[in-house]
Amino acid sequence: MHRVLNVAEKNDAAKSLARLLSKNSASMREGFSKFNKIYEFNYQLFNQPVQMTFTSVSGHIMNCDFTSAHNSWAQVDPVVLFDAPIQKKVTDRATDIEKTLKREVARCQTLIIWTDCDREGENIGYEIIDLCQAVKPGIKVYRARFSEITYSSAARALSNLIQPDRRISAAVDVRQELDLRIGAAFTRFQTLRLQRLFGFDSKQVISYGSCQFPTLGFIVERYLQRENFIREPFWKIAVEHQTESGEFCEFTWERVRLFEHQPCLMIYDMIMDEPLAKVMDIKSKNKSKWRPAALDTVEMEKLASRKLRMTGKKTMEVAEKLYMKGLISYPRTETNIFPNEINLNPLIQNQVGDQRWGAFAQRVLNDGPHPRNGKNSDKAHPPIHPTRYPDGQLTEDENKLYELVVRHFLACVSKDAQGDETTIKIEIANEKFNASGLIIREKNYLEVYIYDKWSEKSLPLYDLNQTFYPTKIEMVQGETTPPQLLTEADLIALMEKHGIGTDATHAEHIAKIQERVYTKMNSERRFEPEKLGLGLCEGYDKMGHALSKPFLRAELESQLKAICEGTAQPAAVLREQIDKYRQVFIVTAAQIQKLDDAMTKYFGAPGQNPPPPPPPPRPPSSGPFGDRTNRNQPPNGRANAPQNRQPQASRVPNNNNNPPFRPQQQQQPTRPARPLQQEQIRPTNSSGIPKCNCNTDAKELTVKKDGPNRGRSFFRCGNNDNCNFFAWKDESTTTATTTFQTGGNTYRQGGNHQSTSSRKRRSSDNDEDGKQRKCGLCKETGHTRRNCPSLNSFL
């Protein structure tokens, strides 16, 4: 029998698809990975009976990484990372998944990819294809296009199989490589420097990401606008009238307000001289309040933030669970247009039995659905909508989000609210005022859409040319108010407007800058930048790079879209962007003092303040660079069995499960050229005694404690305990490792340029009981982490 291997992006998706297509008759067996099962059943495909084998991956199974020669933070010049070799290979946690795929594909004649139908899903699909074709080069490959996990959607996908799109996958490869190179170079550079100068915890990664920083930049820009806002006084004239029947009406000045007191006072005096009001115009017209447009990802995140007080990251996690349960359509979409081929009636019929909105759904069916569409379509998925009614218990968050999706869908396919609006214009001493009122005739979508309000406001009855004396006329003083800090909904809207990230990654970038303690959400659920975020943005802005602005990343997103459309070549886009960011990095290194100055403003002079608190512990949700899409997390955050993992200390972490960087402890190859600074030689006096960091003759001392260095002479500063200068006397002319400062920066230089692993320091007069201390960075003896030669070699 013809065998077909079907591979989904998650185990839950594979399980649900197999259950639906087999009509609950699929059998299950174990794969090599205990989190990724195998489901089998018979099916009619290609006009013949076939055996369908469904299995899954857990997001990305391959990793883009540097080779081991460039993994050491301390010994590799960051600028080299823009051209360093990169390899893509199966991650340690996915080796069992790889074994399953290779074993199963060997027995199959056809491969069908069922990953999510977005860029990231297409790239994961090609990772699966590459592994399978290595085992069986001639296997037929197809792509299933689906937007919801329902029987009709899955069956329709199998009836309309297509070829996977290499261009879309190539765009993701370009983004992954750029995120790795840019993130690693800037992250290593600023982390090591700020740890050394400002005492940040050695485990704290101060990451840079080309989406992460513009997102932070929006927050900082709004914060500074608020902090620097200068309030201006203004004056306005308010008019109120209470009729004989007791009805009240408030009129608004047509000029709104004046920023000069004297002119406003003159107008007020003229009005008070002749306070008789005359009705100049009365207009009544039909007023419509538009129902919401079809729901896309960005709008769902904004609504959940505003109405449900749910973060964007939490919203997407819950939406993914609802999608896997087959309750809503695919939640990552830019589309807000319902295609004509979608039959909306069954989707509405599913909701008729609900006590909360069932009666409204029935009225929509009776009138016929009339969706209000937007203007965007990604040509891959329809707008987010409910696909069926829950047949089981939902969690509180799942229930709230599902209710929002249903109410939004029913509102979208119903009718606009209708009302009558009346506007009355009056004139007092040639100054015009107006008042508006509203009477709602038909609530329509407002009956189900509890998130919108349309308040009625009745007006007294006035006649054209009627005159009356207002009950109150007064000149009111006020002042302008600063703009509000950004809410998460505001921030997502700015990211969408400026092309920062995608609808699927907005929440990840926002969560990342909070994890890095660059910003926080205050009690009003608005973002306030932390001192670290302010210092980073201010420092880079002073360099003129606009690294915290959206322009560079928005340009890249535009080029990635062009790759998907076939109008740009991946290699050309990659080279252009690497060259651009390399130049920015070189200029940044040359102007790094501006970043130091900005950080000094918030953390004090280097070495003079206690270190800032480290970020609170959080489960690792993404890599240190912040811009890598989290599509490789095992179910429930679990990793594969420990025996399948290798230590990560010497690897550059660039996916969402790796811990922060650790310097490599093994001996490194010859260090690359360092174009970022010039070698500096320590001066000595006529007797060959070196100058210390204080620019005075160092003091000669002898080790007196027992140990291998007893009796050995060395030089130290005799004036300042903070000088940190040290040199062995017998190495001072040939192989001495000296510490010196210039321009506020500390450097160390070895006379014979020995590798870190070959330099041995004996016990000094600072060693207690002859015990040799080891550096926390390179694990060598004779110095501390703060003065490690490898740490200071390029900073």
Side-chain angles (χ1 to χ4, degrees):
M1 181 180 289
H2 191 93
R3 300 174 65 94
V4 180
L5 176 61
N6 300 264
V7 186
E9 190 167 322
K10 300 285 177 61
N11 180 70
D12 287 346
K15 180 180 179 181
S16 297
L17 289 167
R19 175 180 59 82
L20 291 168
L21 291 171
S22 68
K23 299 182 179 180
N24 293 318
S25 64
S27 62
M28 187 198 79
R29 58 186 172 89
E30 295 293 331
F32 287 101
S33 168
K34 64 180 181 180
F35 303 117
N36 304 87
K37 312 298 184 181
I38 300 173
Y39 308 91
E40 292 182 320
F41 58 95
N42 294 328
Y43 192 78
Q44 190 77 16
L45 185 66
F46 308 130
N47 295 319
Q48 63 176 316
V50 299
Q51 182 176 19
M52 300 284 272
T53 299
F54 262 88
T55 187
S56 63
V57 293
S58 296
H60 281 286
I61 55 176
M62 304 189 79
N63 198 23
C64 182
D65 202 350
F66 295 110
T67 59
S68 59
H70 295 86
N71 281 344
S72 172
W73 280 43
Q75 297 190 28
V76 175
D77 192 332
V79 75
V80 174
L81 300 178
F82 287 99
D83 297 294
I86 283 181
Q87 57 188 0
K88 192 169 186 178
K89 60 182 181 180
V90 176
T91 61
D92 295 334
R93 62 166 195 81
T95 53
D96 284 345
I97 296 174
E98 178 188 17
K99 291 179 184 177
T100 299
L101 291 176
K102 288 184 175 180
R103 182 187 68 184
E104 297 302 320
V105 77
R107 299 182 293 175
C108 295
Q109 292 78 46
T110 301
L111 171 66
I112 301 179
I113 302 298
W114 289 83
T115 53
D116 292 344
C117 299
D118 58 5
R119 285 187 195 172
E120 218 61 38
E122 204 74 6
N123 189 257
I124 295 171
Y126 268 98
E127 293 176 358
I128 298 167
I129 292 169
D130 291 343
L131 283 180
C132 292
Q133 286 184 336
V135 176
K136 204 161 190 176
I139 192 168
K140 295 180 180 179
V141 179
Y142 297 97
R143 199 339 166 183
R145 303 284 291 183
F146 63 105
S147 297
E148 56 194 50
I149 300 181
T150 60
Y151 174 79
S152 58
S153 178
R156 187 166 54 248
L158 285 175
S159 299
N160 298 276
L161 294 172
I162 62 173
Q163 290 298 308
D165 195 329
R166 177 70 75 174
R167 298 173 303 179
I168 297 176
S169 178
V172 177
D173 287 335
V174 170
R175 180 193 57 77
Q176 286 181 341
E177 182 171 340
L178 284 172
D179 285 345
L180 173 63
R181 293 187 185 279
I182 297 167
F186 279 95
T187 296
R188 292 187 190 188
F189 184 58
Q190 68 186 21
T191 297
L192 293 179
R193 185 177 188 84
L194 297 181
Q195 283 178 355
R196 178 171 58 82
L197 294 182
F198 296 95
F200 285 86
D201 187 271
S202 60
K203 297 181 180 179
Q204 182 173 355
V205 175
I206 305 171
S207 62
Y208 172 85
S210 56
C211 279
Q212 182 188 124
F213 261 49
T215 303
L216 173 63
F218 291 132
I219 296 171
V220 171
E221 183 177 29
R222 177 60 63 87
Y223 173 81
L224 294 178
Q225 286 175 355
R226 184 175 175 85
E227 289 294 303
N228 299 329
F229 186 85
I230 299 176
R231 296 175 181 267
E232 292 185 76
F234 63 81
W235 291 264
K236 64 181 182 178
I237 297 174
V239 174
E240 297 177 3
H241 180 229
Q242 187 172 8
T243 66
E244 293 180 359
S245 61
E247 294 178 287
F248 179 81
C249 186
E250 183 177 353
F251 293 88
T252 303
W253 193 16
E254 195 174 70
R255 296 179 188 264
V256 183
R257 62 189 179 185
L258 295 178
F259 288 95
E260 296 291 337
H261 175 266
Q262 194 62 33
C264 190
L265 180 60
M266 292 173 61
I267 295 172
Y268 175 73
D269 288 340
M270 288 190 299
I271 290 175
M272 296 307 294
D273 288 341
E274 298 182 27
L276 184 66
K278 182 179 180 180
V279 178
M280 304 300 294
D281 189 28
I282 300 176
K283 287 184 178 179
S284 294
K285 62 179 181 180
N286 294 335
K287 182 77 172 180
S288 297
K289 186 171 179 62
W290 289 353
R291 63 197 184 279
L295 188 63
D296 59 22
T297 302
V298 171
E299 190 62 27
M300 180 179 68
E301 289 178 324
K302 292 193 294 184
L303 281 171
S305 176
R306 289 171 178 158
K307 308 301 182 182
L308 307 182
R309 299 178 69 84
M310 194 179 292
T311 66
K313 184 177 181 180
K314 182 67 174 178
T315 298
M316 295 310 297
E317 290 175 354
V318 176
E320 182 77 14
K321 293 178 182 177
L322 293 174
Y323 167 68
M324 289 296 182
K325 293 180 179 180
L327 296 176
I328 66 173
S329 60
Y330 189 63
R332 299 187 185 96
T333 177
E334 299 174 3
T335 300
N336 55 14
I337 301 173
F338 277 108
N340 295 329
E341 57 268 23
I342 287 188
N343 186 357
L344 299 176
N345 286 326
L347 302 176
I348 301 170
Q349 183 66 49
N350 291 337
Q351 305 298 327
V352 169
D354 191 277
Q355 295 181 351
R356 294 163 291 180
W357 51 71
F360 183 86
Q362 185 61 57
R363 287 202 300 274
V364 173
L365 281 177
N366 295 339
D367 297 336
H370 301 282
R372 180 182 169 221
N373 290 322
K375 298 180 179 179
N376 300 320
S377 176
D378 58 17
K379 299 179 181 178
H381 302 285
I384 303 169
H385 61 271
T387 54
R388 65 178 181 88
Y389 194 78
D391 52 9
Q393 191 70 24
L394 299 180
T395 66
E396 181 180 356
D397 286 336
E398 290 172 346
N399 188 65
K400 288 194 299 183
L401 189 61
Y402 180 77
E403 179 178 351
L404 185 147
V405 171
V406 172
R407 289 185 181 274
H408 192 103
F409 169 69
L410 292 176
C412 169
V413 299
S414 61
K415 296 178 181 179
D416 298 334
Q418 300 294 328
D420 294 319
E421 183 181 60
T422 301
T423 303
I424 300 173
K425 293 184 179 181
I426 65 172
E427 188 177 282
I428 311 174
N430 295 322
E431 289 297 312
K432 295 179 175 59
F433 301 81
N434 58 71
S436 296
L438 174 70
I439 302 298
I440 300 176
R441 288 186 288 105
E442 300 176 21
K443 294 186 69 175
N444 292 334
Y445 89 92
L446 290 172
E447 294 181 30
V448 72
Y449 204 62
I450 60 177
Y451 314 107
D452 261 3
K453 303 295 180 185
W454 202 24
S455 300
E456 287 193 313
K457 179 184 177 183
S458 60
L459 291 177
L461 292 177
Y462 290 97
D463 296 322
L464 189 64
N465 297 321
Q466 175 184 344
T467 59
F468 61 88
Y469 285 100
T471 309
K472 180 190 293 185
I473 303 176
E474 61 181 353
M475 188 172 77
V476 181
Q477 181 178 349
E479 64 177 11
T480 55
T481 55
Q484 288 275 23
L485 296 174
L486 297 177
T487 62
E488 184 165 19
D490 297 332
L491 185 56
I492 290 172
L494 284 171
M495 296 172 72
E496 174 73 6
K497 176 182 177 181
H498 293 279
I500 300 302
T502 65
D503 54 353
T505 61
H506 291 153
E508 289 294 329
H509 301 320
I510 294 172
K512 177 57 63 179
I513 59 176
Q514 294 178 81
E515 291 174 16
R516 294 293 183 230
V517 200
Y518 296 162
T519 186
K520 65 180 179 181
M521 188 174 283
N522 62 21
S523 58
E524 298 176 351
R525 297 185 63 81
R526 295 181 181 274
F527 285 107
E528 290 182 3
E530 299 274 25
K531 292 192 297 182
L532 180 55
L534 285 167
L536 289 170
C537 282
E538 184 176 320
Y540 284 123
D541 286 348
K542 286 182 177 179
M543 297 179 194
H545 301 325
L547 287 177
S548 66
K549 306 302 180 186
F551 316 119
L552 287 172
R553 185 66 190 202
E555 179 188 15
L556 171 60
E557 292 292 345
S558 176
Q559 291 180 322
L560 294 179
K561 184 177 181 180
I563 292 174
C564 295
E565 295 171 350
T567 58
Q569 293 299 316
V573 171
L574 183 62
R575 178 48 51 195
E576 178 185 342
Q577 290 291 325
I578 289 177
D579 291 343
K580 185 174 297 184
Y581 274 97
R582 183 199 296 107
Q583 186 59 35
V584 169
F585 181 85
I586 292 173
V587 175
T588 297
Q591 299 183 16
I592 195 62
Q593 187 62 44
K594 293 181 179 179
L595 178 61
D596 297 345
D597 294 341
M599 297 298 291
T600 297
K601 176 180 176 181
Y602 296 101
F603 295 101
Q608 295 186 7
N609 274 353
R618 292 182 176 89
S621 60
S622 58
F625 308 150
D627 290 344
R628 315 291 294 277
T629 303
N630 187 11
R631 298 285 285 273
N632 49 11
Q633 182 73 15
N636 303 321
R638 299 170 296 182
N640 283 344
Q643 63 266 26
N644 294 327
R645 280 187 284 167
Q646 297 177 358
Q648 299 289 326
S650 64
R651 302 179 66 244
V652 177
N654 56 6
N655 60 46
N656 299 332
N657 297 312
N658 288 334
F661 289 3
R662 296 288 185 276
Q664 194 172 12
Q665 298 175 14
Q666 63 189 32
Q667 185 170 345
Q668 295 295 314
T670 303
R671 195 177 303 171
R674 310 192 184 285
L676 306 184
Q677 70 278 324
Q678 184 177 358
E679 294 283 346
Q680 302 190 35
I681 306 301
R682 174 167 300 282
T684 60
N685 63 14
S686 58
S687 302
I689 296 177
K691 300 284 187 180
C692 69
N693 295 331
C694 304
N695 202 29
T696 60
D697 292 348
K699 183 178 180 181
E700 183 178 344
L701 299 171
T702 303
V703 179
K704 296 180 180 179
K705 292 186 177 181
D706 292 335
N709 287 326
R710 181 178 177 84
R712 193 179 183 194
S713 298
F714 61 94
F715 293 113
R716 287 196 64 184
C717 176
N719 301 321
N720 185 355
D721 291 337
N722 294 325
C723 181
N724 294 325
F725 169 70
F726 173 86
W728 291 111
K729 182 178 180 181
D730 54 13
E731 296 178 349
S732 61
T733 58
T734 58
T735 62
T737 300
T738 56
T739 306
F740 60 95
Q741 293 181 335
T742 176
N745 302 325
T746 303
Y747 297 85
R748 290 180 71 88
Q749 179 180 358
N752 63 353
H753 299 282
Q754 290 176 305
S755 65
T756 304
S757 61
S758 64
R759 278 195 292 267
K760 303 292 183 179
R761 181 184 164 192
R762 307 175 192 87
S763 177
S764 71
D765 60 343
N766 287 327
D767 296 330
E768 297 179 4
D769 302 325
K771 182 180 179 181
Q772 296 187 27
R773 302 184 189 182
K774 291 185 177 181
C775 169
L777 184 62
C778 69
K779 305 304 180 184
E780 295 296 329
T781 59
H783 56 266
T784 63
R785 178 187 183 90
R786 186 178 182 85
N787 302 317
C788 180
S790 61
L791 176 63
N792 298 318
S793 59
F794 65 87
L795 297 179

